[in-house]
Amino acid sequence: MIYNFNAGPAVLPQPVLARAQAELLDYAGTGISIMEMSHRAKEFEAIVAAAEARLLALVGLSAATHRVLFMQGGASLQFSMVPFNYLPQGASAAYVVTGTWGEKALEEAKKLGDARLAASTAESGYTAVAEAPSIQTPPDAAYMHLTSNETIQGVQYHAWPVSGEVPLVVDMSSDILSRPFAYATPSLIYAGAQKNLGPSGVTVVIVRKAFLDLAQTPPASMLSYAVTAKNSSLYNTPPTFGIYLLDLVLQWVEQLGGLAAIGERNERKAAAIYGAIDATDGFYRGHAAPSSRSQMNVTFRLPYEALEKQFVADALRAGMIGLAGHRSVGGVRASLYNALEPHAADALATFMGDFADRNG
Ligand SMILES: *Cc1c(COP(=O)(O)O)cnc(C)c1O
């Protein structure tokens, strides 16, 4: 039994993989694999339409007000696409930076326009998110950008810190679809699929139609949200297998009971690991301040580095993979994405207690 705590690409639901395997050689009686089919085939167009509708329904948004776009280039290309589409000459944008991914988003935006820091928690070592009083919101900003969950540091917003009066653009790569949330507040949400939604290679964008209408014309069609939307994500050949798999993951979330059920499940998993941290009275030290703790990526340190290495090695022998912290912060990181089964989190919590007993 392997427990997969990888940060991304990450664990996928077993039933989804089993179904993809069963359908791999003959999709829906067509006699060919979904991978061998034209992206203009009616079977594939139906998958794109179903995935868009399913995702909107899951997050409680309407097709009357929102669009879902399936793109490529990862969340990292979105760091550039957002300013290409929404940061024309003469305008400015505000960035809230609470970890490594927000830093990168700001760095890329600065290459293309007047992108400014609205708040940063760098001084604390990114142990917390930035809350409203510390965020400088220029009322004329074209948009405000933030990262809902900083995957590397393990800090997460548990409510939006701003009302969205200035259009809010959010990188939700590592916590999209993980719990009920106010999905209607942001004007644009983007996420690489490889944490909670499917395999790498697909990037999901959820955009308010009224905001889509404000998009500029970037220097290349492939960088345009409007072009992607107008062509229903089929302007060029999309990552067909990835979108197919993503729709299977959405069906799995539906069957579990939607975001309310998945949110409870994720809360229980995170509580098990944070409980194991707090139970040791200092042997494990959580990186995040309690109020900013991420339910998706739990980051913690041990008394010294060699012991952290031993923890990761011992865990590996017990079948728990992917626990080494990001190279930039060290320590341990347990990623608890949607598809991670609760018994995996329980197993890790038990292991943590035993390890602390042996080495504390
Ligand atoms: C993983 C991640 C990224 C980078 O995603 P790519 O798809 O590799 O470009 C960006 N932002 C966040 C919050 C992430 O977790």
Side-chain angles (χ1 to χ4, degrees):
M1 183 73 175
I2 294 293
Y3 295 126
N4 183 356
F5 294 95
N6 276 330
V11 58
L12 285 163
Q14 210 63 42
V16 164
L17 294 177
R19 179 157 163 206
Q21 183 185 45
E23 294 179 345
L24 190 67
L25 299 183
D26 178 4
Y27 179 72
T30 57
I32 61 174
S33 172
I34 191 76
M35 277 187 279
E36 303 172 293
M37 190 179 294
S38 167
H39 56 297
R40 313 272 175 207
K42 67 179 191 318
E43 289 85 358
F44 185 72
E45 284 190 348
I47 289 173
V48 173
E52 173 165 3
R54 227 184 289 283
L55 182 55
L56 285 179
L58 281 169
V59 300
L61 295 173
S62 156
T65 54
H66 286 78
R67 289 295 307 271
V68 173
L69 312 177
F70 299 109
M71 315 193 68
Q72 302 192 54
S76 298
L77 185 61
Q78 296 302 308
F79 296 165
S80 306
M81 274 195 67
V82 168
F84 264 129
N85 285 267
Y86 292 108
L87 189 51
Q89 285 294 319
S92 69
Y95 279 70
V96 177
V97 175
T98 55
T100 305
W101 293 115
E103 268 180 14
K104 290 204 161 165
L106 173 59
E107 192 182 304
E108 290 304 309
K110 277 183 169 167
K111 293 177 180 167
L112 297 169
D114 183 6
R116 300 176 189 182
L117 192 64
S120 167
T121 54
E123 240 171 64
S124 75
Y126 296 129
T127 52
V129 295
E131 293 300 349
S134 72
I135 298 175
Q136 279 143 21
T137 314
D140 60 342
Y143 62 87
M144 170 170 286
H145 181 281
L146 60 83
T147 312
S148 52
N149 181 64
E150 281 287 357
T151 320
I152 290 173
Q153 283 79 15
V155 297
Q156 185 180 31
Y157 277 104
H158 298 298
W160 301 123
V162 288
S163 63
E165 241 164 76
V166 170
L168 184 61
V169 173
V170 189
D171 178 358
M172 290 192 81
S173 292
S174 52
D175 69 348
I176 189 166
L177 230 54
S178 67
R179 57 185 173 173
F181 216 64
Y183 280 89
T185 303
S187 293
L188 188 148
I189 291 167
Y190 63 86
Q194 67 272 22
K195 278 99 186 209
N196 260 343
L197 297 176
S200 61
V202 189
T203 312
V204 168
V205 173
I206 305 175
V207 58
R208 187 179 288 283
K209 282 180 173 175
F211 193 57
L212 196 54
D213 292 341
L214 298 178
Q216 310 289 308
T217 305
S221 302
M222 285 296 289
L223 297 174
S224 166
Y225 291 122
V227 168
T228 308
K230 190 162 153 262
N231 291 280
S232 299
S233 302
L234 298 171
Y235 170 72
N236 77 323
T237 316
T240 52
F241 188 73
I243 294 171
Y244 155 77
L245 212 73
L246 181 143
D247 187 50
L248 294 187
V249 170
L250 296 179
Q251 290 179 44
W252 173 81
V253 173
E254 260 177 10
Q255 279 160 15
L256 264 185
L259 292 202
I262 211 102
E264 264 178 49
R265 182 178 137 111
N266 287 333
E267 210 172 294
R268 262 192 291 132
K269 284 162 16 188
I273 308 303
Y274 286 115
I277 291 174
D278 294 340
T280 58
D281 212 21
F283 179 78
Y284 297 114
R285 283 170 294 122
H287 174 81
S291 62
S292 292
R293 283 176 164 179
S294 168
Q295 285 183 8
M296 293 280 99
N297 311 96
V298 181
T299 48
F300 56 95
R301 307 300 307 243
L302 277 71
Y304 52 96
E305 220 177 294
L307 203 53
E308 289 168 341
K309 289 217 164 69
Q310 195 194 322
F311 179 97
V312 171
D314 285 5
L316 190 63
R317 268 191 293 278
M320 300 181 211
I321 68 166
L323 286 167
H326 189 270
R327 58 191 183 279
S328 65
V329 297
V332 178
R333 170 173 54 171
S335 296
L336 313 176
Y337 299 124
N338 284 355
L340 186 87
E341 289 295 331
H343 60 84
D346 293 339
L348 176 58
T350 302
F351 172 85
M352 287 171 69
D354 293 347
F355 188 88
D357 288 344
R358 282 201 309 276
N359 299 283

